[in-house]
Amino acid sequence: MNWDDTRVFLALCRAQTLRAAARSLGVDQATVGRRLASLEAALDATLFLRASNGYVLTAAGEVVMRAALDMEASASSLERQILGLDERLSGVVRVTTTDSFALDFIIPAVARLRLEHPSIEVQLQASTQMLNLSKREADIAVRTHKPDNPELVVRRLARWHSGLFASRAYLERQGEPAQGTAFAGHDLVIYQPYLDSGKEVGLVGEPIAQGRIALTCTSGLMVRQALAQGLGLGELPVPLGERDGLCKVWQTRKPYDVWLVTHQDVRHTARVRAVIEAIAEAFAD
């Protein structure tokens, strides 16, 4: 099996349409179709059925997919191991984190790093999406979730509490909420994924059943901006709320951790190490 054809095959397995597969690979649809035809000709087998809702694997395609996943894992492992031997303080390092962490910590860290190592290029993706470090979708992740994959190496960057915050103007206008009232008479800014989770939603442990939702946001940075504009009460990490000049009403008793995560095969790469230390210093500050 040709690896280039196999990469296209796996992209089509995951995306299920030529257009989506082409977009994920950064090529055109014709290239995807050509690579698929080449692989089917080489194996003398039909790998997909063309259905109304996209491409569906045949029995032969399912067998090929298992072998293709093994090839992908081996290729990723080889790439990581070679990268781990690289002692050059130059090249690309991919970092994934949330928008708030990117703005307050990662970007300042990169600014300082560039003064000493201008040949290191950081590619920063600010998203709540959990990228796969084993497949080298990113080299470094900064997360509040500690992964349990034994191939990943974690480092605690911070231990924080969450707090209930609002602007001074909001509190002067509405007053502080009383605990045990489920925010009766108060406006709330809610992180949308909390609502989407299907679980009972609360802010800093207080149910929101009696509150009025003024705004839902899909990112922590938007929550911070909404609170600064006086839209209501919301939950933030205490250091970020204080950094924004917001008023802390309550805070949780139990803290949570912020983790830096990288793969064991790449953590000793010189440029990855340099970025890790810059990020750790930014959080320590």
Side-chain angles (χ1 to χ4, degrees), residues 194-216:
Y194 289 167
L195 297 176
D196 295 340
S197 69
K199 300 177 182 177
E200 183 178 357
V201 178
L203 294 177
V204 197
E206 178 78 10
I208 66 168
Q210 300 302 315
R212 301 181 297 262
I213 296 178
L215 182 71
T216 64

PDB file of all heavy atoms in Angstrom, residues 194-216:
ATOM      1  N   TYR A 194     -21.411  24.246  28.846  1.00  0.00           N
ATOM      2  CA  TYR A 194     -22.029  23.761  30.085  1.00  0.00           C
ATOM      3  C   TYR A 194     -23.483  23.390  29.831  1.00  0.00           C
ATOM      4  O   TYR A 194     -23.976  22.368  30.311  1.00  0.00           O
ATOM      5  CB  TYR A 194     -21.970  24.834  31.174  1.00  0.00           C
ATOM      6  CG  TYR A 194     -20.595  25.116  31.740  1.00  0.00           C
ATOM      7  CD1 TYR A 194     -20.368  26.244  32.524  1.00  0.00           C
ATOM      8  CD2 TYR A 194     -19.522  24.268  31.497  1.00  0.00           C
ATOM      9  CE1 TYR A 194     -19.114  26.514  33.050  1.00  0.00           C
ATOM     10  CE2 TYR A 194     -18.265  24.530  32.005  1.00  0.00           C
ATOM     11  CZ  TYR A 194     -18.071  25.655  32.789  1.00  0.00           C
ATOM     12  OH  TYR A 194     -16.830  25.915  33.306  1.00  0.00           O
ATOM     13  N   LEU A 195     -24.198  24.237  29.075  1.00  0.00           N
ATOM     14  CA  LEU A 195     -25.597  23.958  28.768  1.00  0.00           C
ATOM     15  C   LEU A 195     -25.733  22.745  27.856  1.00  0.00           C
ATOM     16  O   LEU A 195     -26.675  21.965  27.973  1.00  0.00           O
ATOM     17  CB  LEU A 195     -26.244  25.175  28.113  1.00  0.00           C
ATOM     18  CG  LEU A 195     -26.330  26.456  28.966  1.00  0.00           C
ATOM     19  CD1 LEU A 195     -26.901  27.593  28.128  1.00  0.00           C
ATOM     20  CD2 LEU A 195     -27.172  26.220  30.204  1.00  0.00           C
ATOM     21  N   ASP A 196     -24.782  22.595  26.939  1.00  0.00           N
ATOM     22  CA  ASP A 196     -24.842  21.507  25.966  1.00  0.00           C
ATOM     23  C   ASP A 196     -24.527  20.149  26.592  1.00  0.00           C
ATOM     24  O   ASP A 196     -24.798  19.106  25.984  1.00  0.00           O
ATOM     25  CB  ASP A 196     -23.864  21.761  24.815  1.00  0.00           C
ATOM     26  CG  ASP A 196     -24.240  23.000  24.005  1.00  0.00           C
ATOM     27  OD1 ASP A 196     -25.414  23.410  24.078  1.00  0.00           O
ATOM     28  OD2 ASP A 196     -23.356  23.552  23.321  1.00  0.00           O
ATOM     29  N   SER A 197     -23.911  20.146  27.765  1.00  0.00           N
ATOM     30  CA  SER A 197     -23.471  18.884  28.377  1.00  0.00           C
ATOM     31  C   SER A 197     -24.640  18.029  28.853  1.00  0.00           C
ATOM     32  O   SER A 197     -24.489  16.826  29.075  1.00  0.00           O
ATOM     33  CB  SER A 197     -22.546  19.171  29.562  1.00  0.00           C
ATOM     34  OG  SER A 197     -23.265  19.769  30.640  1.00  0.00           O
ATOM     35  N   GLY A 198     -25.811  18.635  29.032  1.00  0.00           N
ATOM     36  CA  GLY A 198     -26.967  17.895  29.528  1.00  0.00           C
ATOM     37  C   GLY A 198     -26.998  17.738  31.033  1.00  0.00           C
ATOM     38  O   GLY A 198     -27.952  17.194  31.594  1.00  0.00           O
ATOM     39  N   LYS A 199     -25.971  18.211  31.727  1.00  0.00           N
ATOM     40  CA  LYS A 199     -25.920  18.133  33.184  1.00  0.00           C
ATOM     41  C   LYS A 199     -26.551  19.389  33.791  1.00  0.00           C
ATOM     42  O   LYS A 199     -26.693  20.412  33.130  1.00  0.00           O
ATOM     43  CB  LYS A 199     -24.465  18.004  33.658  1.00  0.00           C
ATOM     44  CG  LYS A 199     -23.755  16.764  33.125  1.00  0.00           C
ATOM     45  CD  LYS A 199     -22.309  16.735  33.576  1.00  0.00           C
ATOM     46  CE  LYS A 199     -21.570  15.525  33.005  1.00  0.00           C
ATOM     47  NZ  LYS A 199     -20.133  15.527  33.392  1.00  0.00           N
ATOM     48  N   GLU A 200     -26.892  19.285  35.064  1.00  0.00           N
ATOM     49  CA  GLU A 200     -27.435  20.453  35.760  1.00  0.00           C
ATOM     50  C   GLU A 200     -26.360  21.535  35.824  1.00  0.00           C
ATOM     51  O   GLU A 200     -25.226  21.282  36.229  1.00  0.00           O
ATOM     52  CB  GLU A 200     -27.881  20.085  37.165  1.00  0.00           C
ATOM     53  CG  GLU A 200     -28.532  21.242  37.909  1.00  0.00           C
ATOM     54  CD  GLU A 200     -29.011  20.857  39.302  1.00  0.00           C
ATOM     55  OE1 GLU A 200     -28.884  19.659  39.652  1.00  0.00           O
ATOM     56  OE2 GLU A 200     -29.496  21.729  40.029  1.00  0.00           O
ATOM     57  N   VAL A 201     -26.711  22.740  35.414  1.00  0.00           N
ATOM     58  CA  VAL A 201     -25.732  23.817  35.314  1.00  0.00           C
ATOM     59  C   VAL A 201     -25.750  24.643  36.585  1.00  0.00           C
ATOM     60  O   VAL A 201     -26.810  24.998  37.120  1.00  0.00           O
ATOM     61  CB  VAL A 201     -26.034  24.716  34.093  1.00  0.00           C
ATOM     62  CG1 VAL A 201     -25.043  25.867  34.019  1.00  0.00           C
ATOM     63  CG2 VAL A 201     -25.980  23.889  32.816  1.00  0.00           C
ATOM     64  N   GLY A 202     -24.560  24.954  37.073  1.00  0.00           N
ATOM     65  CA  GLY A 202     -24.408  25.849  38.206  1.00  0.00           C
ATOM     66  C   GLY A 202     -23.231  26.771  37.984  1.00  0.00           C
ATOM     67  O   GLY A 202     -22.399  26.533  37.105  1.00  0.00           O
ATOM     68  N   LEU A 203     -23.173  27.837  38.744  1.00  0.00           N
ATOM     69  CA  LEU A 203     -22.022  28.743  38.738  1.00  0.00           C
ATOM     70  C   LEU A 203     -21.393  28.702  40.119  1.00  0.00           C
ATOM     71  O   LEU A 203     -22.042  29.009  41.122  1.00  0.00           O
ATOM     72  CB  LEU A 203     -22.451  30.172  38.392  1.00  0.00           C
ATOM     73  CG  LEU A 203     -22.983  30.410  36.977  1.00  0.00           C
ATOM     74  CD1 LEU A 203     -23.442  31.858  36.819  1.00  0.00           C
ATOM     75  CD2 LEU A 203     -21.929  30.071  35.932  1.00  0.00           C
ATOM     76  N   VAL A 204     -20.149  28.253  40.172  1.00  0.00           N
ATOM     77  CA  VAL A 204     -19.401  28.133  41.431  1.00  0.00           C
ATOM     78  C   VAL A 204     -20.237  27.336  42.451  1.00  0.00           C
ATOM     79  O   VAL A 204     -20.325  27.695  43.626  1.00  0.00           O
ATOM     80  CB  VAL A 204     -19.004  29.523  41.981  1.00  0.00           C
ATOM     81  CG1 VAL A 204     -17.911  29.403  43.029  1.00  0.00           C
ATOM     82  CG2 VAL A 204     -18.520  30.423  40.866  1.00  0.00           C
ATOM     83  N   GLY A 205     -20.877  26.268  41.973  1.00  0.00           N
ATOM     84  CA  GLY A 205     -21.622  25.375  42.840  1.00  0.00           C
ATOM     85  C   GLY A 205     -23.047  25.799  43.148  1.00  0.00           C
ATOM     86  O   GLY A 205     -23.781  25.067  43.810  1.00  0.00           O
ATOM     87  N   GLU A 206     -23.488  26.957  42.683  1.00  0.00           N
ATOM     88  CA  GLU A 206     -24.840  27.449  42.942  1.00  0.00           C
ATOM     89  C   GLU A 206     -25.720  27.186  41.721  1.00  0.00           C
ATOM     90  O   GLU A 206     -25.374  27.572  40.601  1.00  0.00           O
ATOM     91  CB  GLU A 206     -24.804  28.949  43.235  1.00  0.00           C
ATOM     92  CG  GLU A 206     -26.160  29.583  43.484  1.00  0.00           C
ATOM     93  CD  GLU A 206     -26.705  29.314  44.891  1.00  0.00           C
ATOM     94  OE1 GLU A 206     -25.930  28.799  45.729  1.00  0.00           O
ATOM     95  OE2 GLU A 206     -27.873  29.630  45.143  1.00  0.00           O
ATOM     96  N   PRO A 207     -26.856  26.516  41.872  1.00  0.00           N
ATOM     97  CA  PRO A 207     -27.759  26.298  40.731  1.00  0.00           C
ATOM     98  C   PRO A 207     -28.212  27.633  40.135  1.00  0.00           C
ATOM     99  O   PRO A 207     -28.287  28.642  40.824  1.00  0.00           O
ATOM    100  CB  PRO A 207     -28.943  25.551  41.357  1.00  0.00           C
ATOM    101  CG  PRO A 207     -28.416  24.971  42.621  1.00  0.00           C
ATOM    102  CD  PRO A 207     -27.374  25.925  43.117  1.00  0.00           C
ATOM    103  N   ILE A 208     -28.541  27.594  38.845  1.00  0.00           N
ATOM    104  CA  ILE A 208     -28.926  28.840  38.161  1.00  0.00           C
ATOM    105  C   ILE A 208     -30.420  28.890  37.874  1.00  0.00           C
ATOM    106  O   ILE A 208     -30.875  29.735  37.103  1.00  0.00           O
ATOM    107  CB  ILE A 208     -28.130  29.000  36.844  1.00  0.00           C
ATOM    108  CG1 ILE A 208     -28.517  27.890  35.842  1.00  0.00           C
ATOM    109  CG2 ILE A 208     -26.632  29.003  37.094  1.00  0.00           C
ATOM    110  CD1 ILE A 208     -28.015  28.141  34.438  1.00  0.00           C
ATOM    111  N   ALA A 209     -31.187  28.017  38.529  1.00  0.00           N
ATOM    112  CA  ALA A 209     -32.596  27.828  38.154  1.00  0.00           C
ATOM    113  C   ALA A 209     -33.420  29.105  38.206  1.00  0.00           C
ATOM    114  O   ALA A 209     -34.354  29.287  37.409  1.00  0.00           O
ATOM    115  CB  ALA A 209     -33.222  26.773  39.061  1.00  0.00           C
ATOM    116  N   GLN A 210     -33.129  30.020  39.126  1.00  0.00           N
ATOM    117  CA  GLN A 210     -33.933  31.229  39.272  1.00  0.00           C
ATOM    118  C   GLN A 210     -33.315  32.447  38.577  1.00  0.00           C
ATOM    119  O   GLN A 210     -33.890  33.539  38.605  1.00  0.00           O
ATOM    120  CB  GLN A 210     -34.129  31.542  40.766  1.00  0.00           C
ATOM    121  CG  GLN A 210     -34.824  30.445  41.551  1.00  0.00           C
ATOM    122  CD  GLN A 210     -36.188  30.111  40.980  1.00  0.00           C
ATOM    123  OE1 GLN A 210     -36.977  30.997  40.661  1.00  0.00           O
ATOM    124  NE2 GLN A 210     -36.471  28.816  40.843  1.00  0.00           N
ATOM    125  N   GLY A 211     -32.157  32.274  37.978  1.00  0.00           N
ATOM    126  CA  GLY A 211     -31.494  33.393  37.313  1.00  0.00           C
ATOM    127  C   GLY A 211     -31.993  33.594  35.894  1.00  0.00           C
ATOM    128  O   GLY A 211     -32.659  32.733  35.312  1.00  0.00           O
ATOM    129  N   ARG A 212     -31.661  34.753  35.339  1.00  0.00           N
ATOM    130  CA  ARG A 212     -32.004  35.074  33.949  1.00  0.00           C
ATOM    131  C   ARG A 212     -30.729  34.988  33.102  1.00  0.00           C
ATOM    132  O   ARG A 212     -29.763  35.729  33.363  1.00  0.00           O
ATOM    133  CB  ARG A 212     -32.589  36.490  33.863  1.00  0.00           C
ATOM    134  CG  ARG A 212     -33.838  36.723  34.698  1.00  0.00           C
ATOM    135  CD  ARG A 212     -34.333  38.148  34.511  1.00  0.00           C
ATOM    136  NE  ARG A 212     -33.361  39.132  34.981  1.00  0.00           N
ATOM    137  CZ  ARG A 212     -33.409  39.737  36.176  1.00  0.00           C
ATOM    138  NH1 ARG A 212     -34.389  39.449  37.024  1.00  0.00           N
ATOM    139  NH2 ARG A 212     -32.495  40.632  36.516  1.00  0.00           N
ATOM    140  N   ILE A 213     -30.732  34.121  32.118  1.00  0.00           N
ATOM    141  CA  ILE A 213     -29.550  34.028  31.243  1.00  0.00           C
ATOM    142  C   ILE A 213     -29.576  35.212  30.286  1.00  0.00           C
ATOM    143  O   ILE A 213     -30.481  35.342  29.459  1.00  0.00           O
ATOM    144  CB  ILE A 213     -29.525  32.699  30.471  1.00  0.00           C
ATOM    145  CG1 ILE A 213     -29.380  31.532  31.445  1.00  0.00           C
ATOM    146  CG2 ILE A 213     -28.373  32.692  29.465  1.00  0.00           C
ATOM    147  CD1 ILE A 213     -29.381  30.165  30.776  1.00  0.00           C
ATOM    148  N   ALA A 214     -28.574  36.074  30.426  1.00  0.00           N
ATOM    149  CA  ALA A 214     -28.472  37.240  29.551  1.00  0.00           C
ATOM    150  C   ALA A 214     -27.717  36.913  28.274  1.00  0.00           C
ATOM    151  O   ALA A 214     -28.015  37.447  27.209  1.00  0.00           O
ATOM    152  CB  ALA A 214     -27.771  38.387  30.288  1.00  0.00           C
ATOM    153  N   LEU A 215     -26.721  36.006  28.382  1.00  0.00           N
ATOM    154  CA  LEU A 215     -25.865  35.712  27.231  1.00  0.00           C
ATOM    155  C   LEU A 215     -25.215  34.357  27.437  1.00  0.00           C
ATOM    156  O   LEU A 215     -24.793  34.022  28.545  1.00  0.00           O
ATOM    157  CB  LEU A 215     -24.783  36.789  27.098  1.00  0.00           C
ATOM    158  CG  LEU A 215     -23.821  36.672  25.904  1.00  0.00           C
ATOM    159  CD1 LEU A 215     -24.540  36.994  24.599  1.00  0.00           C
ATOM    160  CD2 LEU A 215     -22.624  37.609  26.086  1.00  0.00           C
ATOM    161  N   THR A 216     -25.134  33.567  26.362  1.00  0.00           N
ATOM    162  CA  THR A 216     -24.316  32.362  26.369  1.00  0.00           C
ATOM    163  C   THR A 216     -23.163  32.574  25.403  1.00  0.00           C
ATOM    164  O   THR A 216     -23.312  33.228  24.368  1.00  0.00           O
ATOM    165  CB  THR A 216     -25.118  31.113  25.963  1.00  0.00           C
ATOM    166  OG1 THR A 216     -25.554  31.252  24.608  1.00  0.00           O
ATOM    167  CG2 THR A 216     -26.312  30.914  26.879  1.00  0.00           C
TER     168      THR A 216
END
